[in-house]
Amino acid sequence: PSIELCRQYLGLEQLRLGERLRVEAWQPDGQARVQYRGASWTAELDPSLPADAAQPGTFVIVRVVGNRLIVCTLHNRTRRCLIVHGAA
C-alpha cells in the first residue's frame, strides 16, 4: 500500500512530515507544547540531537509517535535527523 493510503488508514492524512512548526519554550523533560494545524500537540526533540538543541525556534517534523511530534532543528534536518530516520 502507498504511504498516503497508510496515513489515511491510521488517521494521519493531515500530518505532513517535513512541515515546520514553532516551539516557544522547552520543558526540562525535553518536551514542548506546540500548536500544529489548530490543535495542541506535544513536540519532542529528536534523540539524535544534543540536549542543548532544545532552544526556542522553528523546527521540522521528522516523525509522529502516537500523539507526539518528533522534531529536528532546521539546520540539522538534512544531516543527523533524516539520516537516523532513513529519509536522507
Side-chain angles (χ1 to χ4, degrees), residues 4 6-16 41 64 66:
E4 198 58 40
C6 291
R7 282 183 185 183
Q8 290 173 7
Y9 176 77
L10 295 171
L12 301 175
E13 65 275 0
Q14 297 300 315
L15 299 176
R16 295 288 181 246
W41 288 77
V64 179

Side-chain angles (χ1 to χ4, degrees), residues 7-81:
R7 282 183 185 183
Q8 290 173 7
Y9 176 77
L10 295 171
L12 301 175
E13 65 275 0
Q14 297 300 315
L15 299 176
R16 295 288 181 246
L17 301 184
E19 286 193 13
R20 296 176 182 190
L21 55 83
R22 176 92 184 145
V23 176
E24 298 298 331
W26 290 94
Q27 300 168 6
D29 65 358
Q31 296 185 343
R33 294 302 294 171
V34 297
Q35 289 295 309
Y36 175 69
R37 294 195 176 214
S40 183
W41 288 77
T42 297
E44 190 173 290
L45 191 64
D46 188 277
S48 70
L49 293 176
D52 66 356
Q55 300 293 324
T58 302
F59 289 80
V60 176
I61 300 169
V62 294
R63 230 174 2 140
V64 179
V65 178
N67 64 348
R68 294 175 294 135
L69 302 174
I70 311 302
V71 299
C72 278
T73 57
L74 284 174
H75 67 277
N76 278 324
R77 71 187 176 110
T78 57
R79 292 185 192 152
R80 271 191 275 183
C81 291

